[in-house]
Amino acid sequence: MEATSLAIQAPTYGNLITVLSIDGGGIRGVIPGVILSFLESELQKLDGEDARIADYFDVIAGTSTGGLVTAMLASPNEKNRPLYAAKDIKDFYLNNCPKIFPQNSFPLFPQTTKIIKALSGPKYNGKYLHSLVKEKLGNTRLHQTLTNVVITTFDIKRLQPTIFSSFEVKKNPSLDALVSDICIATSAAPTYLPAHYFETKDADGKVREFNLIDGGVAANNPALVAIGEVTKEVIRGSPDFPIKPMDYGRFLVISLGTGYSKAEEKYDAHKAAKWGILSWLTSGGSTPIVDVFTQASADMVDVHNSVVFQALHSEKSYLRIQDDALSGDVTSVDKATKKNLDDLVKVGEGLLKKQVSRVNLDTGLFEPTSEESNEEALKRFAKLLSEEKRLRETRTPHGHAAKSK
C-alpha cells in the first residue's frame, strides 16, 4: 500500500505534536470554516501564500461536518496539494448546503410534515451530498491523505465506533476506504440523513462490510480520539512520536466547536417527562435526542482536556474555540436558508473577537480565562506552528523528503 508523502515532517524532528480537531454540527460547520480561514491566513503571512493547514498539523480529526472539513483540508489534488484552501470552506457550505438540506417550500403544516418525515424515513435523502462528495474526493483513499486524519463513525451492525485513522490503517488495511465513503458515513446523522453501507477489500481479497452512521453518536468532539490515536502510536514505539505515553505537555491542540445554545433553555424535565418517541424525534423545531447525545459527548471531551492540560500547566497549548450562546435559527443543523448561512458566517467572525474561554466544570458554561481574544490566540498559535514547522525542516537530515505514512 503506497502512501502519498506527508505535507509535514514527522514530530521526530520537532518539539511538539500538533492536533486540529473539528466538531460535528451540520450547516454550523460554517463556523469552524471561518476560524480556519483566519488561521490559514495568519500562517500565510508567516510562510507565504502557498501555506495550507495540512502543512502544520500532525493529525486533523473530524466528526460529521467536521469530518467533511477534515477531508477537504487533507485530501490531495492533482498537484498533491490540499484539495481546498481554508478560505474556500465557507463558500463550499454557502453554495452547497441549500441543496444538501433543501427547505420545505410549502410549510402549511410544518409540525405534521416533520412527524410524517420522522416516521417514514430520514429527513433528507442524501443524494446531492453523496454525489458531491464522490465528485470532489474521487478515488482518494484513507492512506493517501496529505497528513494523518482521524474521522469517527459508528457501526450500527456491530454497535461500536469505527474510527478511520491514518495511523490504524497501516496495520489494518480493511480500514483503507474511499475518503468519500468515510465522509458520507460520518455525516449520516440519525433522522437527518440515511445510514451508509460500503465494503472494502484487502490485498488477499477479504471483504469487510461497514454499516455506518454519524460519528457524533460516539464523539461529536473528536479531539480526545485524535490524542488517543497518537498515544497508541507512542505505545507501539513509533519513531515518529518519540514521547512518553500521556505526555500531554508535548501536545499543541486546537479544538473547534460548531456552536450551540446554553443561553436559552430548549427543553425541561416537566415537558420531557411526557414525551414519547415522536417528541424525542421532533420537538421545539429540532431533534432533542440528537441534540442531547451530540452535545453531551462534545462537552465531556472538552471537560477532560481542560482538566488534563490545566493539571500539566499546559493551558496555553490547548485552545478550544466554541460559542455556547447561540439562539434562534443559527442553532439548527439544517436550516440552510441564505439568511441563516450568512448569519452563521457572522457568528464565526464574532467568535474570533470573543475572549478565549474555558468550560466551567461546575456550570458547563464557557467563561473567559484571559484578556486574549480567540483571534489573538490563533495568531499566537500560528507563530508556534510556523516555528515548529521550520524547526523540523532544519533538523531533518539533508535531502530527506517528507516522511511517508
Side-chain angles (χ1 to χ4, degrees):
M1 184 169 67
E2 184 181 349
T4 54
S5 293
L6 291 178
I8 182 174
Q9 299 287 354
T12 307
Y13 305 106
N15 294 330
L16 302 172
I17 295 170
T18 55
V19 177
L20 172 65
S21 173
I22 311 161
D23 285 14
I27 63 171
R28 299 200 310 266
V30 171
I31 297 172
V34 171
I35 306 298
L36 289 167
S37 179
F38 178 82
L39 174 60
E40 192 169 86
S41 70
E42 290 300 310
L43 293 168
Q44 289 169 347
K45 289 177 185 177
L46 296 167
D47 296 331
E49 63 181 17
D50 291 334
R52 295 290 183 269
I53 294 290
D55 300 331
Y56 297 86
F57 287 96
D58 295 308
V59 54
I60 304 176
T63 292
S64 193
T65 198
L68 180 57
V69 173
T70 296
M72 294 166 69
L73 295 172
S75 295
N77 62 17
E78 65 280 357
K79 297 180 181 178
N80 211 36
R81 292 293 291 149
L83 192 61
Y84 283 83
K87 66 180 177 60
D88 298 325
I89 294 172
K90 178 185 74 174
D91 287 341
F92 176 90
Y93 275 81
L94 296 182
N95 294 332
N96 292 297
C97 281
K99 299 172 186 175
I100 297 171
F101 304 110
Q103 302 301 291
N104 184 4
S105 302
F106 306 100
L108 295 178
F109 306 100
Q111 191 60 28
T112 302
T113 302
K114 286 178 183 176
I115 292 173
I116 293 171
K117 278 280 190 181
L119 289 171
S120 61
K123 193 172 181 181
Y124 307 100
N125 61 32
K127 290 180 180 178
Y128 180 83
L129 174 63
H130 296 187
S131 62
L132 175 68
V133 170
K134 288 178 180 178
E135 174 196 342
K136 298 296 182 183
L137 297 174
N139 294 318
T140 299
R141 291 192 175 271
L142 179 61
H143 78 273
Q144 295 173 307
T145 57
L146 294 171
T147 190
N148 299 298
V149 301
V150 173
I151 298 176
T152 62
T153 66
F154 190 86
D155 194 309
I156 55 175
K157 191 169 185 178
R158 300 183 176 201
L159 283 182
Q160 66 180 37
T162 296
I163 300 169
F164 290 93
S165 162
S166 297
F167 304 111
E168 199 67 23
V169 76
K170 289 180 287 187
K171 73 180 191 70
N172 188 352
S174 70
L175 290 171
D176 196 28
L178 290 170
V179 176
S180 59
D181 278 325
I182 297 171
C183 285
I184 292 168
T186 193
S187 301
T191 76
Y192 288 95
L193 289 162
H196 189 50
Y197 176 89
F198 63 91
E199 299 174 348
T200 60
K201 186 182 295 185
D202 64 19
D204 297 325
K206 185 178 179 181
V207 174
R208 176 174 175 178
E209 64 173 30
F210 296 88
N211 299 267
L212 304 177
I213 61 171
D214 192 329
V217 173
N220 205 48
N221 174 350
L224 198 55
V225 178
I227 292 171
E229 288 298 296
V230 171
T231 302
K232 285 196 290 185
E233 286 294 287
V234 174
I235 294 170
R236 290 169 184 156
S238 169
D240 287 349
F241 297 95
I243 65 169
K244 297 177 181 178
M246 301 307 292
D247 187 2
Y248 276 47
R250 293 282 297 275
F251 282 90
L252 183 151
V253 178
I254 298 178
S255 176
L256 303 181
T258 57
Y260 62 105
S261 174
K262 284 191 176 174
E264 55 180 27
E265 298 174 354
K266 300 182 71 172
Y267 317 114
D268 63 60
H270 296 295
K271 293 179 181 178
K274 303 173 184 177
W275 287 354
I277 188 169
L278 288 179
S279 295
W280 278 104
L281 291 174
T282 58
S283 183
S286 59
T287 309
I289 191 66
V290 176
D291 289 347
V292 169
F293 69 65
T294 55
Q295 200 48 57
S297 68
D299 273 0
M300 288 302 292
V301 169
D302 188 35
V303 167
H304 173 88
N305 282 336
S306 294
V307 170
V308 170
F309 278 87
Q310 288 177 48
L312 295 173
H313 306 289
S314 300
E315 298 99 320
K316 290 287 188 180
S317 296
Y318 173 64
L319 178 63
R320 173 67 170 168
I321 299 182
Q322 175 69 301
D323 191 333
D324 68 349
L326 299 186
S327 62
D329 288 346
V330 291
T331 64
S332 170
V333 298
D334 67 330
K335 193 173 180 62
T337 63
K338 183 180 186 306
K339 180 184 184 304
N340 200 40
L341 290 167
D342 289 340
D343 286 344
L344 285 168
V345 173
K346 294 174 184 175
V347 169
E349 293 170 346
L351 191 51
L352 287 169
K353 304 297 182 183
K354 290 187 176 182
Q355 289 172 269
V356 171
S357 299
R358 190 83 74 228
V359 65
N360 181 308
L361 304 182
D362 294 321
T363 66
L365 298 176
F366 271 73
E367 297 176 354
T369 56
S370 71
E371 295 299 317
E372 187 180 40
S373 68
N374 288 318
E375 192 172 71
E376 291 167 337
L378 286 168
K379 289 181 180 179
R380 176 169 57 83
F381 271 70
K383 290 180 181 177
L384 291 171
L385 290 165
S386 177
E387 290 168 0
E388 174 71 8
K389 181 174 182 290
R390 295 184 188 197
L391 176 65
R392 295 185 189 187
E393 290 170 348
T394 301
R395 290 179 175 176
T396 301
H398 182 68
H400 182 75
K403 290 179 71 65
S404 293
K405 289 181 284 185

